[in-house]
């Protein structure tokens, strides 16, 4: 009964998916007929089942999440404080702005050689590349959030006895910038995720979604490649959804209604 | 005690091109303890600047302002302020907006919540305790802002056209409520407005400013008995007098 209700409610979405998968299966099996060019839906499903059964998919998930976690946590620990002091203190902004503006446009993947030279073939090296991708959006958005703290809120706080810079940052500027900061984190995590495949390409580990994608490509097992592509997409989507749900529910309750 | 003395206060602003504008010129004013003073004048006359100087948000270019003999140089919880725009912290619930001041004084959470609830009751918003500011109407928000300012137990309450953006009916209700609070809490109030009606209904004393540079032209004692009636002949006559003085000032300019 419940399943039926869900199906009825989401009929257009479900139909669209079913049609797409059917077309894909038909095109792959009867028109292209070459697994190398386009593996069929069932090829992908069977490769999925085999990696789940052997347990490698689970290890790949964990390793990739670890790389991603190292990068994103480092980006948060560095990006948010840097953005805060840049946004709050004009001199700090003028000192750090030229450096950041020079480093920022460098594509994160261009850092890979140095990541390997500095950190070797380690998980940290992969994390570093993701860090470079994630940190700038976090800095910029934290900075922008702090720049647009409403003057009237700051003055109201001062009159109420909140006068120290540190208290103003903690009690006024930070909470009021939170929408912008969390948007920065979302963008940063997205960019970091994009860097994952390349960061794992160099074999910092024998596991990881990105590494496995390349490895199977080397073996011309395109059904596995496609399966890992889907896994990267699904995991990326899930991370974003979970994060977004958390901030909307816990941190930005006060905003509902402001933006639909 | 909440006696404010303004002595020879002048204020200049220098803009980016180096242009100097004089906002206030040689202001002298005494606000007695527990007095309700309305400062009235055309927009751009420096009313808000004067209030901000009393609050300690700005320092005068020359002269000084004292509260009970003590010179004002920076903001202090002894002088509460209600702003013209909505100044509530949107990320805090109503009650947490009101506890903000006491919390900053280092009061523990339970005690400050107790105080906040008391003031919430005073402005009649107990049932909105856990709402966020975006869920409140304009009048309710300004009530919370008043409660928030009062929760610090200030000696002087500074109000910068707090009812300016409210509709006429809400404004009347809030004016009466403010008078009740003023009588209950026994504090000094300096209230900036551009509405003669509002000043005549509220004030013990009306201070008139002219614009550019802001100078005091008249100080009128409002000797109408309280509680006041908005439409009684006495009130109307008084309002007429104030309006005439304002008109004369405009001609002089």
């Amino acid at each position: 009964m419940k399943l039926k209700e869900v199906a009825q409610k989401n009929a257009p979405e479900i139909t669209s998916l079913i049609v797409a998968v059917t077309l894909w299966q038909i095109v792959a099996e009867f028109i292209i007929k070459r697994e190398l060019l386009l593996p069929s839906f069932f090829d992908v499903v069977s490769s999925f089942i085999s990696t789940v059964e052997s347990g490698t998919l689970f290890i790949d998930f964990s390793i990739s999440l670890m790389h991603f976690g190292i990068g994103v946590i480092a980006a948060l620990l560095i990006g948010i404080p840097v953005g805060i002091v840049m946004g709050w203190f004009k001199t700090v902004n003028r000192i750090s702005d030229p450096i950041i503006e020079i480093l920022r446009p460098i594509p994160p993947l261009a850092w890979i050689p140095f990541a390997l030279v500095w950190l070797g073939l380690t998980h940290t090296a992969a994390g570093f590349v993701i860090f470079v991708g994630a940190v700038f959006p976090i800095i910029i958005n934290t900075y922008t959030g702090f720049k647009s703290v409403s003057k009237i809120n700051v003055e109201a706080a001062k009159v109420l006895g909140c006068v120290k810079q540190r208290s103003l940052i903690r009690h006024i500027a930070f909470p009021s910038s939170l929408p912008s900061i969390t948007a920065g984190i979302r963008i940063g995590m997205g960019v970091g995720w994009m860097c994952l495949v390349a960061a794992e390409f160099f074999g910092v580990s024998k596991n990881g979604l990105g590494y496995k994608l390349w490895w199977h490509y080397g073996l011309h097992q395109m059904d596995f490649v496609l399966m890992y592509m889907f896994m990267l997409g699904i995991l990326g989507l899930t991370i974003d959804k979970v994060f977004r749900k958390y901030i909307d529910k816990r941190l930005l309750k006060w905003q509902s209604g402001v933006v639909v | 005690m909440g006696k404010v003395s303004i002595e020879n206060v002048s204020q200049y602003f220098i803009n980016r091109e180096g242009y100097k504008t004089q906002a206030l010129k040689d202001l002298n004013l005494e606000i007695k303890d527990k007095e309700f003073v309305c400062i009235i004048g055309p927009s751009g006359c420096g009313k808000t600047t004067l209030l901000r100087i009393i609050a300690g948000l700005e320092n005068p270019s020359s002269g000084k302002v004292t509260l009970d003999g003590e010179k004002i140089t920076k903001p202090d919880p002894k002088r509460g302020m209600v702003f013209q725009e909505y100044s509530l912290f949107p990320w805090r619930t109503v009650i947490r907006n009101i506890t903000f001041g006491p919390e900053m004084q280092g009061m523990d959470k339970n005690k400050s919540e107790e105080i906040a609830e008391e003031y919430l009751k005073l402005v009649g918003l107990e049932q909105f305790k856990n709402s966020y500011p975006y869920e409140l109407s304009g009048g309710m928000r300004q009530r919370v802002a008043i409660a928030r300012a009062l929760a610090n137990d200030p000696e002087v309450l500074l109000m910068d056209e707090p009812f300016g953006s409210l509709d006429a009916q809400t404004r009347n209700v809030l004016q009466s409520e403010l008078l009740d609070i003023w009588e209950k809490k026994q504090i000094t109030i300096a209230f900036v407005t551009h509405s003669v009606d509002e000043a005549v209904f509220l004030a013990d004393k009306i201070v008139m400013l002219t614009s550019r540079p802001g100078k005091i032209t008249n100080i009128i004692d409002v000797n109408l008995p309280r509680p006041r009636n908005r439409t009684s002949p006495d009130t109307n006559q008084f309002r007429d007098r104030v309006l005439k003085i304002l008109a004369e000032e405009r001609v002089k300019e």
Side-chain angles (χ1 to χ4, degrees), chain B residues 74-111:
Chain B
K74 57 177 198 305
D76 188 290
K78 271 190 229 162
R79 285 160 274 124
M81 184 147 174
V82 179
F83 295 83
Q84 182 179 7
E85 307 104 289
Y86 300 133
S87 64
L88 296 181
F89 306 131
W91 58 89
R92 284 177 165 244
T93 56
V94 164
I95 185 129
R96 301 255 296 127
N97 260 283
I98 304 175
T99 58
F100 185 83
E103 268 171 40
M104 290 299 123
Q105 314 303 311
M107 198 179 282
D108 73 76
K109 219 179 157 188
N110 290 336
K111 187 85 182 53

CSV table of all heavy atoms in Angstrom, one decimal, chain B residues 74-111:
chain,number,residue,atom,x,y,z
B,74,LYS,N,31.6,55.6,25.0
B,74,LYS,CA,31.3,54.3,24.2
B,74,LYS,C,30.0,53.7,24.7
B,74,LYS,O,29.5,54.1,25.7
B,74,LYS,CB,32.5,53.3,24.4
B,74,LYS,CG,32.8,52.9,25.8
B,74,LYS,CD,33.9,51.9,25.8
B,74,LYS,CE,34.0,51.1,27.1
B,74,LYS,NZ,34.2,51.9,28.3
B,75,PRO,N,29.5,52.8,23.9
B,75,PRO,CA,28.2,52.2,24.2
B,75,PRO,C,28.2,51.5,25.6
B,75,PRO,O,29.3,51.0,26.0
B,75,PRO,CB,27.9,51.2,23.1
B,75,PRO,CG,28.8,51.6,22.0
B,75,PRO,CD,30.0,52.3,22.6
B,76,ASP,N,27.1,51.6,26.2
B,76,ASP,CA,27.1,51.0,27.6
B,76,ASP,C,25.6,50.5,27.8
B,76,ASP,O,24.7,51.2,27.4
B,76,ASP,CB,27.4,52.1,28.6
B,76,ASP,CG,27.6,51.5,30.0
B,76,ASP,OD1,26.6,51.1,30.6
B,76,ASP,OD2,28.8,51.4,30.5
B,77,PRO,N,25.5,49.4,28.5
B,77,PRO,CA,24.1,48.8,28.7
B,77,PRO,C,23.3,49.8,29.5
B,77,PRO,O,22.0,49.6,29.6
B,77,PRO,CB,24.4,47.5,29.4
B,77,PRO,CG,25.8,47.2,29.3
B,77,PRO,CD,26.5,48.4,28.9
B,78,LYS,N,23.9,50.7,30.2
B,78,LYS,CA,23.1,51.7,31.0
B,78,LYS,C,22.2,52.5,30.1
B,78,LYS,O,21.2,53.1,30.5
B,78,LYS,CB,24.0,52.6,31.7
B,78,LYS,CG,24.4,52.1,33.1
B,78,LYS,CD,25.1,53.2,33.9
B,78,LYS,CE,26.4,52.7,34.5
B,78,LYS,NZ,27.3,53.8,34.8
B,79,ARG,N,22.6,52.6,28.8
B,79,ARG,CA,21.8,53.4,27.9
B,79,ARG,C,21.2,52.4,26.8
B,79,ARG,O,22.0,52.0,25.9
B,79,ARG,CB,22.6,54.5,27.2
B,79,ARG,CG,22.8,55.6,28.2
B,79,ARG,CD,24.0,56.5,27.7
B,79,ARG,NE,25.3,55.9,28.3
B,79,ARG,CZ,26.3,55.6,27.5
B,79,ARG,NH1,26.2,55.7,26.2
B,79,ARG,NH2,27.4,55.1,28.0
B,80,GLY,N,20.0,52.1,26.9
B,80,GLY,CA,19.4,51.1,25.9
B,80,GLY,C,19.0,51.9,24.7
B,80,GLY,O,18.7,53.1,24.8
B,81,MET,N,18.9,51.2,23.6
B,81,MET,CA,18.5,51.9,22.4
B,81,MET,C,17.5,51.0,21.5
B,81,MET,O,17.7,49.8,21.4
B,81,MET,CB,19.7,52.3,21.6
B,81,MET,CG,19.4,53.1,20.3
B,81,MET,SD,20.7,54.2,19.9
B,81,MET,CE,20.2,54.9,18.4
B,82,VAL,N,16.5,51.7,21.0
B,82,VAL,CA,15.6,51.0,20.1
B,82,VAL,C,15.8,51.8,18.7
B,82,VAL,O,15.6,53.0,18.7
B,82,VAL,CB,14.1,51.1,20.6
B,82,VAL,CG1,13.2,50.5,19.6
B,82,VAL,CG2,14.0,50.5,21.9
B,83,PHE,N,16.1,51.0,17.7
B,83,PHE,CA,16.4,51.6,16.4
B,83,PHE,C,15.2,51.8,15.6
B,83,PHE,O,14.1,51.2,15.8
B,83,PHE,CB,17.4,50.8,15.7
B,83,PHE,CG,18.8,50.7,16.4
B,83,PHE,CD1,19.0,49.8,17.4
B,83,PHE,CD2,19.8,51.5,16.0
B,83,PHE,CE1,20.2,49.7,18.0
B,83,PHE,CE2,21.0,51.5,16.6
B,83,PHE,CZ,21.2,50.6,17.6
B,84,GLN,N,15.3,52.6,14.5
B,84,GLN,CA,14.3,52.9,13.6
B,84,GLN,C,14.0,51.6,12.8
B,84,GLN,O,12.8,51.2,12.6
B,84,GLN,CB,14.7,54.0,12.7
B,84,GLN,CG,13.7,54.5,11.7
B,84,GLN,CD,14.2,55.7,10.9
B,84,GLN,OE1,15.3,56.0,11.0
B,84,GLN,NE2,13.3,56.2,10.1
B,85,GLU,N,15.0,51.0,12.2
B,85,GLU,CA,14.8,49.8,11.4
B,85,GLU,C,14.7,48.6,12.4
B,85,GLU,O,15.0,48.8,13.6
B,85,GLU,CB,16.0,49.6,10.5
B,85,GLU,CG,16.4,50.7,9.6
B,85,GLU,CD,17.7,51.4,10.1
B,85,GLU,OE1,17.6,52.1,11.2
B,85,GLU,OE2,18.7,51.3,9.5
B,86,TYR,N,14.4,47.5,11.8
B,86,TYR,CA,14.3,46.3,12.6
B,86,TYR,C,15.7,45.9,12.9
B,86,TYR,O,16.5,45.5,12.1
B,86,TYR,CB,13.5,45.2,11.9
B,86,TYR,CG,12.1,45.7,11.6
B,86,TYR,CD1,11.6,45.5,10.3
B,86,TYR,CD2,11.3,46.3,12.5
B,86,TYR,CE1,10.3,45.9,10.0
B,86,TYR,CE2,10.1,46.7,12.3
B,86,TYR,CZ,9.5,46.5,11.0
B,86,TYR,OH,8.3,46.9,10.7
B,87,SER,N,16.0,45.9,14.2
B,87,SER,CA,17.4,45.6,14.6
B,87,SER,C,17.5,44.2,15.3
B,87,SER,O,18.5,43.9,15.9
B,87,SER,CB,17.9,46.7,15.5
B,87,SER,OG,17.2,46.7,16.7
B,88,LEU,N,16.4,43.5,15.3
B,88,LEU,CA,16.4,42.2,16.0
B,88,LEU,C,17.4,41.3,15.3
B,88,LEU,O,17.6,41.4,14.1
B,88,LEU,CB,15.1,41.5,16.0
B,88,LEU,CG,14.0,42.3,16.8
B,88,LEU,CD1,12.7,41.5,16.7
B,88,LEU,CD2,14.4,42.5,18.2
B,89,PHE,N,18.0,40.4,16.1
B,89,PHE,CA,18.9,39.4,15.5
B,89,PHE,C,18.1,38.3,14.8
B,89,PHE,O,17.4,37.5,15.6
B,89,PHE,CB,19.9,38.8,16.5
B,89,PHE,CG,20.6,39.9,17.3
B,89,PHE,CD1,20.7,39.9,18.7
B,89,PHE,CD2,21.2,40.9,16.6
B,89,PHE,CE1,21.3,40.8,19.4
B,89,PHE,CE2,21.9,41.9,17.3
B,89,PHE,CZ,22.0,41.9,18.7
B,90,PRO,N,18.1,38.2,13.5
B,90,PRO,CA,17.2,37.2,12.9
B,90,PRO,C,17.5,35.8,13.2
B,90,PRO,O,16.6,34.9,13.0
B,90,PRO,CB,17.4,37.5,11.4
B,90,PRO,CG,18.7,38.2,11.3
B,90,PRO,CD,18.9,39.0,12.6
B,91,TRP,N,18.7,35.5,13.6
B,91,TRP,CA,19.1,34.1,13.9
B,91,TRP,C,18.7,33.7,15.3
B,91,TRP,O,18.9,32.5,15.7
B,91,TRP,CB,20.5,33.9,13.6
B,91,TRP,CG,21.4,34.7,14.5
B,91,TRP,CD1,21.9,34.5,15.7
B,91,TRP,CD2,21.9,36.1,14.1
B,91,TRP,NE1,22.6,35.5,16.2
B,91,TRP,CE2,22.7,36.5,15.2
B,91,TRP,CE3,21.7,36.9,13.0
B,91,TRP,CZ2,23.3,37.8,15.3
B,91,TRP,CZ3,22.4,38.1,13.1
B,91,TRP,CH2,23.1,38.6,14.1
B,92,ARG,N,18.2,34.6,16.1
B,92,ARG,CA,17.8,34.2,17.5
B,92,ARG,C,16.3,34.3,17.6
B,92,ARG,O,15.7,35.1,17.0
B,92,ARG,CB,18.5,35.2,18.5
B,92,ARG,CG,19.9,35.0,18.7
B,92,ARG,CD,20.5,36.0,19.6
B,92,ARG,NE,21.8,35.6,20.1
B,92,ARG,CZ,22.1,35.3,21.4
B,92,ARG,NH1,21.2,35.5,22.3
B,92,ARG,NH2,23.3,34.9,21.7
B,93,THR,N,15.8,33.4,18.4
B,93,THR,CA,14.3,33.4,18.7
B,93,THR,C,14.1,34.7,19.5
B,93,THR,O,15.0,35.4,20.0
B,93,THR,CB,13.9,32.2,19.5
B,93,THR,OG1,14.7,32.1,20.7
B,93,THR,CG2,14.1,30.9,18.7
B,94,VAL,N,12.8,35.0,19.7
B,94,VAL,CA,12.4,36.2,20.4
B,94,VAL,C,13.0,36.2,21.8
B,94,VAL,O,13.6,37.2,22.2
B,94,VAL,CB,10.8,36.2,20.5
B,94,VAL,CG1,10.3,37.2,21.6
B,94,VAL,CG2,10.2,36.6,19.1
B,95,ILE,N,12.8,35.1,22.5
B,95,ILE,CA,13.4,35.1,23.9
B,95,ILE,C,14.9,35.2,23.9
B,95,ILE,O,15.4,35.9,24.7
B,95,ILE,CB,12.9,33.8,24.7
B,95,ILE,CG1,13.3,33.9,26.1
B,95,ILE,CG2,13.4,32.5,24.1
B,95,ILE,CD1,12.2,33.7,27.1
B,96,ARG,N,15.5,34.6,22.9
B,96,ARG,CA,17.0,34.7,22.9
B,96,ARG,C,17.5,36.1,22.5
B,96,ARG,O,18.6,36.5,22.8
B,96,ARG,CB,17.6,33.6,22.0
B,96,ARG,CG,17.2,32.2,22.5
B,96,ARG,CD,18.3,31.5,23.2
B,96,ARG,NE,19.4,31.2,22.2
B,96,ARG,CZ,20.7,31.6,22.5
B,96,ARG,NH1,21.0,32.2,23.6
B,96,ARG,NH2,21.6,31.3,21.6
B,97,ASN,N,16.7,36.8,21.7
B,97,ASN,CA,17.0,38.2,21.5
B,97,ASN,C,17.0,39.0,22.8
B,97,ASN,O,17.8,39.8,23.0
B,97,ASN,CB,15.9,38.8,20.5
B,97,ASN,CG,16.5,38.8,19.1
B,97,ASN,OD1,17.3,39.7,18.7
B,97,ASN,ND2,16.0,37.9,18.3
B,98,ILE,N,16.0,38.7,23.6
B,98,ILE,CA,15.9,39.5,24.8
B,98,ILE,C,16.9,39.1,25.8
B,98,ILE,O,17.4,39.9,26.6
B,98,ILE,CB,14.4,39.4,25.4
B,98,ILE,CG1,13.4,39.8,24.3
B,98,ILE,CG2,14.3,40.2,26.7
B,98,ILE,CD1,12.0,39.6,24.7
B,99,THR,N,17.3,37.8,25.8
B,99,THR,CA,18.3,37.4,26.8
B,99,THR,C,19.7,37.9,26.4
B,99,THR,O,20.7,37.8,27.2
B,99,THR,CB,18.4,35.9,27.0
B,99,THR,OG1,18.6,35.3,25.7
B,99,THR,CG2,17.1,35.3,27.6
B,100,PHE,N,19.9,38.4,25.2
B,100,PHE,CA,21.2,38.7,24.7
B,100,PHE,C,21.9,39.7,25.6
B,100,PHE,O,23.1,39.5,26.0
B,100,PHE,CB,21.1,39.3,23.3
B,100,PHE,CG,22.4,39.6,22.6
B,100,PHE,CD1,23.1,38.6,22.0
B,100,PHE,CD2,23.0,40.9,22.7
B,100,PHE,CE1,24.3,38.9,21.4
B,100,PHE,CE2,24.2,41.1,22.1
B,100,PHE,CZ,24.9,40.1,21.4
B,101,GLY,N,21.2,40.8,26.0
B,101,GLY,CA,21.9,41.8,26.8
B,101,GLY,C,22.3,41.2,28.2
B,101,GLY,O,23.5,41.2,28.5
B,102,PRO,N,21.4,40.6,28.9
B,102,PRO,CA,21.8,40.0,30.2
B,102,PRO,C,22.9,39.0,30.0
B,102,PRO,O,23.8,38.9,30.8
B,102,PRO,CB,20.5,39.3,30.7
B,102,PRO,CG,19.4,40.1,30.1
B,102,PRO,CD,19.9,40.6,28.8
B,103,GLU,N,22.9,38.2,29.0
B,103,GLU,CA,23.9,37.2,28.7
B,103,GLU,C,25.3,37.9,28.6
B,103,GLU,O,26.3,37.4,29.1
B,103,GLU,CB,23.7,36.4,27.4
B,103,GLU,CG,22.9,35.1,27.7
B,103,GLU,CD,22.5,34.5,26.3
B,103,GLU,OE1,23.3,34.5,25.4
B,103,GLU,OE2,21.3,34.0,26.2
B,104,MET,N,25.3,39.0,27.9
B,104,MET,CA,26.5,39.7,27.6
B,104,MET,C,27.0,40.3,29.0
B,104,MET,O,28.2,40.6,29.1
B,104,MET,CB,26.3,40.8,26.6
B,104,MET,CG,26.1,40.3,25.2
B,104,MET,SD,27.5,39.4,24.6
B,104,MET,CE,26.7,37.9,24.2
B,105,GLN,N,26.1,40.6,29.9
B,105,GLN,CA,26.5,41.1,31.2
B,105,GLN,C,27.1,39.9,32.0
B,105,GLN,O,27.5,40.1,33.2
B,105,GLN,CB,25.4,41.7,32.0
B,105,GLN,CG,24.5,42.7,31.2
B,105,GLN,CD,25.3,43.8,30.6
B,105,GLN,OE1,26.1,44.4,31.3
B,105,GLN,NE2,25.1,44.0,29.3
B,106,GLY,N,27.1,38.7,31.5
B,106,GLY,CA,27.6,37.6,32.2
B,106,GLY,C,26.6,36.9,33.1
B,106,GLY,O,27.0,36.1,34.0
B,107,MET,N,25.3,37.2,32.9
B,107,MET,CA,24.3,36.5,33.7
B,107,MET,C,24.1,35.1,33.2
B,107,MET,O,24.2,34.8,32.1
B,107,MET,CB,23.0,37.3,33.6
B,107,MET,CG,22.0,37.1,34.6
B,107,MET,SD,20.5,38.1,34.3
B,107,MET,CE,21.1,39.7,34.9
B,108,ASP,N,23.8,34.2,34.2
B,108,ASP,CA,23.6,32.8,33.7
B,108,ASP,C,22.3,32.6,33.0
B,108,ASP,O,21.4,33.5,33.1
B,108,ASP,CB,23.8,31.8,34.9
B,108,ASP,CG,22.6,31.8,35.9
B,108,ASP,OD1,21.6,31.3,35.5
B,108,ASP,OD2,22.7,32.5,36.9
B,109,LYS,N,22.2,31.5,32.3
B,109,LYS,CA,21.1,31.3,31.3
B,109,LYS,C,19.7,31.4,32.0
B,109,LYS,O,18.8,32.0,31.5
B,109,LYS,CB,21.3,30.0,30.6
B,109,LYS,CG,21.0,30.2,29.1
B,109,LYS,CD,21.2,28.9,28.4
B,109,LYS,CE,20.3,28.8,27.1
B,109,LYS,NZ,20.4,27.6,26.4
B,110,ASN,N,19.6,30.6,33.1
B,110,ASN,CA,18.2,30.6,33.7
B,110,ASN,C,17.8,31.9,34.2
B,110,ASN,O,16.6,32.3,34.0
B,110,ASN,CB,18.3,29.6,34.9
B,110,ASN,CG,18.4,28.2,34.5
B,110,ASN,OD1,18.1,27.9,33.3
B,110,ASN,ND2,19.0,27.3,35.3
B,111,LYS,N,18.7,32.7,34.8
B,111,LYS,CA,18.3,34.0,35.4
B,111,LYS,C,18.0,34.9,34.2
B,111,LYS,O,17.0,35.6,34.3
B,111,LYS,CB,19.5,34.5,36.2
B,111,LYS,CG,19.3,35.8,36.9
B,111,LYS,CD,18.7,35.5,38.3
B,111,LYS,CE,18.3,36.7,39.1
B,111,LYS,NZ,17.5,37.7,38.6
